[in-house]
Amino acid sequence: MQIHRVQELFKQSPVGQRVSVCGWVRTRRDAKNNFSFLEINDGSCLKNLQVIADGTLENYETEVKKLGTGSSLRVEGIVVASQGKEQAIEIKAERVHVYGFASEDFPLQKKRHGFDYLRTIGHLRPRTNTFGAVTRIRHTLSMAVHDFFHSRGFFYVQTPIITANDAEGAGEMFQVTTLDLDKLPRTPEGKIDYTRDFFGRRTSLTVSGQLEGETYAMALGNIYTFGPTFRAENSNTTRHLAEFWMIEPEMAFADLDHNAYIAEEFLKHVIRAVLEQNQEDLNLLDSFVQKGLKESLQNIVAGPFARMTYTEAIEVLEKSGQKFEYPAKWGSSLQTEHERYLTEVHLKKPVILTDYPKDFTAFYMRLNDDKKTVRNMDVLVPQIGEIIGGSQREERLDVLLERMQEAGLKPEDYEFYLDLRKYGTAPHAGFGLGFERLVLLCTGMGNIRDVIPFPRTPGHCEF
Amino acid sequence: MQIHRVQELFKQSPVGQRVSVCGWVRTRRDAKNNFSFLEINDGSCLKNLQVIADGTLENYETEVKKLGTGSSLRVEGIVVASQGKEQAIEIKAERVHVYGFASEDFPLQKKRHGFDYLRTIGHLRPRTNTFGAVTRIRHTLSMAVHDFFHSRGFFYVQTPIITANDAEGAGEMFQVTTLDLDKLPRTPEGKIDYTRDFFGRRTSLTVSGQLEGETYAMALGNIYTFGPTFRAENSNTTRHLAEFWMIEPEMAFADLDHNAYIAEEFLKHVIRAVLEQNQEDLNLLDSFVQKGLKESLQNIVAGPFARMTYTEAIEVLEKSGQKFEYPAKWGSSLQTEHERYLTEVHLKKPVILTDYPKDFTAFYMRLNDDKKTVRNMDVLVPQIGEIIGGSQREERLDVLLERMQEAGLKPEDYEFYLDLRKYGTAPHAGFGLGFERLVLLCTGMGNIRDVIPFPRTPGHCEF
């Protein structure tokens, strides 16, 4: 017999039909006269399906009345119109097959649990309402990412995870090795002999797929990556993960204006998908996790983002009369307090800030004619801050070489990247978005460890 | 002015319209009377767009006649019906803007290059016809993977890359560390002190997301993973990569029959997508890379796969009268020659083999009542061999503990996995598919290093 998913039953309300549902018991309530109500969840949606089980079932006393929270079962029965207000339908059980009882120490009992505690049972937390909702929203966002780019003719390119490069000349990296650390091979000079490591050289986990992505954009036109990236930074904050997923589109023949246009369209597209497809999940999160979540998402998709150069932003901040902990000054980076003032007080909407001073930007960002600023952009969102960073890339070989020299990078380490400028160079641009920051934005969750299935942070690599 | 993609122009044939196209020059041919023909490719499709440039262009002598293979440009002009048979339309250029000439040492001249050589210029090979086609087919397959599962209510779950587990109790792993190998911290006993490593313990790159995937299936119902996995095996073959992408669906309340059904549907769905969406690319590969490619793909989607138990397969092989290098014998694993005989000679179609002897299968595969075989499956395809491996998982706690003991695994290392059997256990099943093997199948390429953008193999970690 076909298994029906709870979400479909709620959608179709097939009253009178015989169905079969599998799931886990959330609660059991026994009434008088040999009646019990089981709330069943199968993960397909937030709402539980109510099942009415009674003494006519052959295992009513022996099994059904022993079903505790977390038990798994299959119910066969008839869909009936519900008496309650909560839902339109329920199931009158004709057969209850128990797959597995949950032993009494099942940690997820009916009461609400703190997120800190749930993090210690990361293998069970997806069975809670909140983490079920986060997982479904994360899924919607993933699909919307692919959908956005695919429908616009971008090709998905899986850039490498293990790399011998350091994409930004910065960022602490994890080393990857098969050397036996207890018997490290040495060169005659006493150095570690990496020619005997798996790849014959020292290798690390990637911090960005951008440089490799550029090689494909310069052949296929529009591409994007969507894969894991890594930072070995000792950051114990609610915004940092050592392992996180990143989305990096790259577009040949595009300038920064087009880049900003695509970034804005992209962000609105994926948020709209959640608003449309995860209404129940959003209602839960709006009620119990972050009041005003839905409204803040609706605000992002409602109107155009503001555009402003870094220089204009500094002027606004200087004239604001606002007292900042760090006064805003041309040439220094914007602090969170500055970004919040701009998006939450001054503009009251997202803003795309462009043309930052070259001194604190990456070597590959295209130098402006003023020689002081570069064609980069940050997309800032109220409450969250920077969610997207991008730039037009430096396509002029001579300027790029100069910038690399300033940054202390050796051209011979970037030959493949320089080749893109030697052979048919073209304007191109792209951006990067930390996927978990996006999930934070769309779920209202407060800690980034709670929006990725199994978070990796300093001192934590469980499961 | 909007940039038009070549693929769209061929689709729409907007004769008479003024368009703007960007791309790279594949060839330039100068005719008499101040006429030149430029073949332009922008990566959106295999076919080049022909551009007619003539002496009326202000930069005809100074630039256009110097455009070599690999140069990048923007052409503005009028779409005209083509005189040639190759294509319906071409562009009569009104303006040619050169973004970048390719210096004369551009390695991709018109002649065909060997794949071995192209591997040494992995950053430029996507500009060739073959690698453009492979990239587009890889993209189609990626989209079809997500589409298949999403449309059936599966949730995409990103399982962790860095792990402290070894998923199968086998498989050589890459170590991940931030310890300074020149100054390794030591415990008082002289061992390496991993409490001082980034995660406070010894960590590696994942070989499979299955075990973590199961935790989400036991909460959300149907899930799948699609991400990179790693094997530190010194395998220098045309079928092995140290870093490859894997797809691992996992379904709660599913048995092996359903698993096999989904695997077959899945394979047909993604192959059909390529047959429908990449006809030109397939024609190229069928002509120049593997004759008969399209027919072999059509054969896979044409009819039902065969089903056969391992025991039945051994009987077929024993009775075949065929002389094998390794005689087929119950209890030993099937060799490539056996698999080829079954799919190419005996059945002439894909087959799903099930119920292998438990001795050479993983601990988590469900033990059959005969106590000798397990509920696993391999999907074998003509020419390629095994493309999918899967199983129904052992959901019985006591049996699982016994199997782990036999395999020499410590229960305390798998507590989270055992919890799934303690708290509401349920039948569940899933499978794994190496994505690059699928791309090999669908492109007819002979070497797995040529179907992933930047291959990682022993001794090779370029770009």
Side-chain angles (χ1 to χ4, degrees):
Chain A
M1 193 177 189
Q2 191 208 333
I3 296 169
H4 299 79
R5 299 276 282 167
V6 171
Q7 192 204 20
E8 285 158 33
L9 292 182
F10 281 130
K11 211 183 274 173
Q12 297 161 1
S13 282
V15 172
Q17 199 179 304
R18 174 166 286 108
V19 296
S20 174
V21 177
C22 293
W24 290 268
V25 174
R26 284 291 170 86
T27 58
R28 190 194 83 239
R29 190 163 50 84
D30 298 326
K32 285 177 201 167
N33 308 324
N34 274 353
F35 262 100
S36 295
F37 298 96
L38 302 170
E39 298 278 334
I40 308 291
N41 191 287
D42 72 353
S44 63
C45 61
L46 179 74
K47 249 198 293 191
N48 300 324
L49 180 67
Q50 179 153 290
V51 172
I52 307 157
D54 65 23
T56 62
L57 297 167
E58 58 172 24
N59 59 345
Y60 181 68
E61 288 294 336
T62 54
E63 293 195 320
V64 175
K65 285 189 76 172
K66 291 176 183 159
L67 285 169
T69 301
S71 310
S72 63
L73 43 68
R74 186 177 74 243
V75 175
E76 292 163 26
I78 305 290
V79 179
V80 294
S82 175
Q83 309 294 322
K85 288 179 211 160
E86 293 273 310
Q87 52 213 352
I89 54 160
E90 52 199 30
I91 307 289
K92 172 88 184 60
E94 296 182 338
R95 185 161 175 262
V96 172
H97 176 79
V98 179
Y99 289 119
F101 292 93
S103 63
E104 277 178 21
D105 56 343
F106 182 56
L108 296 171
Q109 296 304 327
K110 210 195 166 184
K111 72 181 187 94
R112 293 187 67 200
H113 300 278
F115 293 152
D116 289 349
Y117 168 67
L118 290 175
R119 227 168 282 137
T120 67
I121 49 168
H123 59 307
L124 299 175
R125 67 178 184 172
R127 296 192 201 180
T128 63
N129 282 341
T130 302
F131 287 89
V134 168
T135 303
R136 285 185 292 269
I137 289 175
R138 194 177 159 107
H139 169 78
T140 299
L141 286 168
S142 296
M143 293 306 107
V145 166
H146 286 298
D147 178 53
F148 178 85
F149 290 116
H150 173 67
S151 67
R152 280 159 185 78
F154 286 64
F155 297 104
Y156 180 32
V157 171
Q158 286 98 344
T159 47
I161 310 300
I162 301 175
T163 178
N165 294 317
D166 173 353
E168 312 201 6
E172 292 171 67
M173 298 175 87
F174 289 100
Q175 185 171 357
V176 174
T177 183
T178 55
L179 293 178
D180 181 347
L181 302 201
D182 275 316
K183 295 180 226 155
L184 286 169
R186 299 277 173 181
T187 64
E189 296 79 36
K191 289 192 174 170
I192 295 168
D193 184 2
Y194 281 112
T195 64
R196 294 176 56 194
D197 206 346
F198 189 89
F199 295 108
R201 60 205 292 183
R202 199 180 191 286
T203 53
S204 313
L205 292 177
T206 186
V207 296
S208 160
Q210 180 199 317
L211 303 195
E212 290 92 351
E214 283 186 48
T215 69
Y216 270 71
M218 296 303 276
L220 277 294
N222 295 330
I223 65 96
Y224 67 106
T225 73
F226 186 4
T229 50
F230 305 84
R231 299 285 155 86
E233 280 156 25
N234 194 17
S235 302
N236 267 299
T237 81
T238 57
R239 303 271 141 183
H240 289 87
L241 290 167
E243 171 180 315
F244 57 99
W245 286 63
M246 190 128 88
I247 296 147
E248 296 181 284
E250 190 73 32
M251 297 165 276
F253 310 110
D255 59 13
L256 191 72
D257 288 339
H258 188 68
N259 204 22
Y261 165 77
I262 292 289
E264 179 173 344
E265 288 293 298
F266 168 75
L267 210 51
K268 288 176 172 175
H269 175 87
V270 298
I271 291 173
R272 233 179 259 125
V274 173
L275 284 168
E276 283 165 14
Q277 296 167 42
N278 295 82
Q279 297 181 14
E280 265 178 32
D281 294 321
L282 282 179
N283 287 340
L284 174 91
L285 296 165
D286 199 307
S287 302
F288 296 110
V289 172
Q290 189 197 300
K291 301 260 179 244
L293 170 65
K294 273 167 61 180
E295 202 191 324
S296 74
L297 294 178
Q298 278 151 355
N299 280 345
I300 294 175
V301 301
F305 293 2
R307 299 278 195 285
M308 196 182 265
T309 66
Y310 166 89
T311 303
E312 289 164 348
I314 293 290
E315 282 169 19
V316 167
L317 293 166
E318 282 174 343
K319 288 184 193 155
S320 67
Q322 199 78 6
K323 230 185 146 176
F324 295 114
E325 197 183 338
Y326 299 90
K329 209 183 109 206
W330 202 100
S332 55
S333 35
L334 294 179
Q335 304 295 318
T336 306
E337 55 178 342
H338 305 141
E339 297 181 348
R340 295 195 71 154
Y341 177 81
L342 290 169
T343 56
E344 294 168 24
V345 182
H346 182 69
L347 297 161
K348 294 193 178 62
K349 60 174 166 176
V351 61
I352 304 186
L353 284 189
T354 63
D355 303 281
Y356 285 60
K358 72 166 182 169
D359 293 339
F360 51 86
T361 56
F363 73 93
Y364 50 72
M365 296 178 174
R366 193 178 199 277
L367 192 64
N368 281 322
D369 291 343
D370 65 13
K371 303 271 163 91
K372 291 191 299 189
T373 58
V374 294
R375 284 255 74 190
N376 75 327
M377 66 177 190
D378 276 353
V379 182
L380 309 180
V381 171
Q383 260 95 50
I384 292 281
E386 185 204 322
I387 185 126
I388 287 177
S391 71
Q392 186 169 335
R393 317 307 187 186
E394 184 54 77
E395 90 279 16
R396 296 162 296 185
L397 182 61
D398 52 340
V399 183
L400 183 62
L401 283 167
E402 240 171 76
R403 291 272 284 153
M404 287 176 67
Q405 199 172 21
E406 283 173 23
L409 302 174
K410 291 183 221 149
E412 57 268 33
D413 291 341
Y414 293 84
E415 262 184 62
F416 80 94
Y417 195 66
L418 295 171
D419 273 1
L420 303 181
R421 279 74 184 168
K422 277 170 71 182
Y423 305 123
T425 192
H428 60 294
F431 59 85
L433 167 99
F435 185 57
E436 282 72 23
R437 298 261 175 108
L438 178 64
V439 186
L440 272 184
L441 172 68
C442 292
T443 57
M445 297 292 281
N447 192 325
I448 201 161
R449 297 163 201 221
D450 297 333
V451 299
I452 189 167
F454 298 95
R456 270 70 179 109
T457 55
H460 289 285
C461 186
E462 287 88 18
F463 312 105
Chain B
M1 193 179 192
Q2 190 208 335
I3 297 171
H4 299 78
R5 299 276 282 167
V6 171
Q7 191 205 21
E8 284 158 34
L9 293 182
F10 281 130
K11 211 182 276 174
Q12 296 161 1
S13 281
V15 172
Q17 198 178 305
R18 174 166 285 108
V19 296
S20 173
V21 176
C22 292
W24 290 269
V25 174
R26 283 292 170 86
T27 59
R28 190 194 81 241
R29 190 163 51 83
D30 297 327
K32 285 177 202 165
N33 308 324
N34 274 351
F35 262 99
S36 295
F37 298 95
L38 301 170
E39 298 277 334
I40 308 293
N41 191 287
D42 71 353
S44 64
C45 62
L46 180 73
K47 249 197 298 190
N48 300 325
L49 180 67
Q50 180 154 289
V51 172
I52 307 157
D54 66 23
T56 62
L57 297 168
E58 59 171 23
N59 59 345
Y60 181 68
E61 289 294 337
T62 54
E63 294 195 320
V64 175
K65 284 188 77 171
K66 290 175 182 159
L67 284 169
T69 301
S71 309
S72 62
L73 43 68
R74 187 178 71 244
V75 175
E76 291 164 24
I78 305 290
V79 179
V80 294
S82 175
Q83 310 294 321
K85 287 178 211 161
E86 293 274 310
Q87 54 213 351
I89 53 160
E90 52 198 30
I91 307 289
K92 172 91 183 59
E94 296 183 336
R95 183 159 177 262
V96 172
H97 176 80
V98 179
Y99 288 120
F101 292 94
S103 63
E104 278 179 20
D105 56 345
F106 182 57
L108 296 172
Q109 295 304 326
K110 211 194 165 183
K111 73 181 187 90
R112 292 188 68 202
H113 299 278
F115 294 153
D116 288 347
Y117 167 66
L118 291 176
R119 227 168 282 137
T120 68
I121 48 167
H123 59 306
L124 299 174
R125 68 178 183 172
R127 297 192 200 181
T128 64
N129 282 341
T130 302
F131 288 88
V134 169
T135 304
R136 284 184 293 270
I137 289 176
R138 194 177 159 106
H139 169 78
T140 299
L141 287 168
S142 297
M143 294 304 109
V145 167
H146 286 298
D147 178 51
F148 178 84
F149 290 115
H150 173 66
S151 67
R152 280 159 185 78
F154 287 64
F155 297 103
Y156 180 32
V157 172
Q158 287 99 345
T159 47
I161 310 302
I162 302 174
T163 177
N165 294 317
D166 173 352
E168 311 200 6
E172 292 171 69
M173 298 175 85
F174 289 100
Q175 185 171 355
V176 174
T177 183
T178 54
L179 292 178
D180 180 347
L181 302 200
D182 276 315
K183 293 179 225 154
L184 286 169
R186 299 277 173 182
T187 62
E189 296 78 37
K191 290 191 173 169
I192 295 168
D193 185 2
Y194 282 112
T195 64
R196 293 175 58 190
D197 205 345
F198 189 87
F199 295 108
R201 59 206 293 185
R202 198 180 191 287
T203 54
S204 313
L205 292 177
T206 185
V207 297
S208 160
Q210 180 200 316
L211 303 196
E212 289 92 350
E214 283 185 49
T215 69
Y216 269 72
M218 296 303 275
L220 277 294
N222 294 330
I223 66 97
Y224 68 106
T225 72
F226 186 4
T229 49
F230 305 85
R231 299 285 154 87
E233 280 156 25
N234 194 16
S235 300
N236 268 299
T237 82
T238 57
R239 303 271 143 183
H240 289 87
L241 290 167
E243 171 181 316
F244 57 100
W245 285 62
M246 189 128 89
I247 296 148
E248 296 181 284
E250 190 72 33
M251 296 164 277
F253 310 109
D255 59 13
L256 191 72
D257 287 339
H258 188 66
N259 204 21
Y261 165 77
I262 292 289
E264 178 173 345
E265 289 294 298
F266 168 76
L267 211 52
K268 288 176 172 173
H269 175 87
V270 299
I271 292 173
R272 231 178 261 126
V274 173
L275 284 168
E276 283 164 14
Q277 295 167 41
N278 295 83
Q279 296 181 16
E280 265 178 33
D281 294 321
L282 282 179
N283 287 341
L284 174 91
L285 295 165
D286 199 308
S287 303
F288 296 110
V289 173
Q290 188 196 304
K291 301 258 180 249
L293 169 65
K294 272 166 62 179
E295 202 190 325
S296 74
L297 294 178
Q298 277 152 354
N299 280 345
I300 294 175
V301 302
F305 294 3
R307 299 278 195 286
M308 197 182 264
T309 66
Y310 165 90
T311 302
E312 289 163 350
I314 292 290
E315 283 168 20
V316 167
L317 293 166
E318 283 174 342
K319 288 183 190 153
S320 67
Q322 200 78 6
K323 234 190 142 173
F324 296 113
E325 197 183 337
Y326 299 90
K329 207 182 110 210
W330 203 99
S332 55
S333 36
L334 294 179
Q335 303 294 320
T336 305
E337 55 179 343
H338 305 142
E339 297 181 348
R340 295 196 71 152
Y341 176 81
L342 291 169
T343 56
E344 294 167 24
V345 182
H346 182 70
L347 296 162
K348 293 192 177 61
K349 61 174 164 177
V351 60
I352 304 185
L353 285 188
T354 63
D355 303 280
Y356 285 60
K358 73 166 183 170
D359 292 341
F360 53 88
T361 55
F363 74 94
Y364 51 72
M365 296 179 173
R366 193 179 197 277
L367 192 64
N368 281 322
D369 290 344
D370 65 12
K371 302 273 163 88
K372 291 192 298 190
T373 58
V374 294
R375 276 311 255 163
N376 74 328
M377 66 177 191
D378 275 354
V379 182
L380 309 180
V381 171
Q383 262 95 49
I384 292 281
E386 186 206 322
I387 184 127
I388 287 177
S391 71
Q392 186 169 335
R393 317 308 186 187
E394 184 55 76
E395 89 280 15
R396 296 162 296 186
L397 182 61
D398 52 339
V399 184
L400 183 61
L401 282 167
E402 240 171 74
R403 291 271 286 152
M404 287 177 68
Q405 199 174 20
E406 283 173 25
L409 301 174
K410 291 183 222 149
E412 56 267 34
D413 292 341
Y414 293 84
E415 262 183 63
F416 80 94
Y417 195 65
L418 295 170
D419 273 1
L420 304 181
R421 279 73 184 168
K422 278 171 69 181
Y423 304 123
T425 192
H428 60 294
F431 59 84
L433 167 99
F435 185 58
E436 282 71 24
R437 297 263 174 106
L438 179 64
V439 187
L440 273 184
L441 172 68
C442 292
T443 57
M445 297 293 282
N447 192 324
I448 202 162
R449 297 162 202 221
D450 296 333
V451 298
I452 189 167
F454 298 96
R456 269 73 180 108
T457 56
H460 289 286
C461 187
E462 287 89 15
F463 312 106

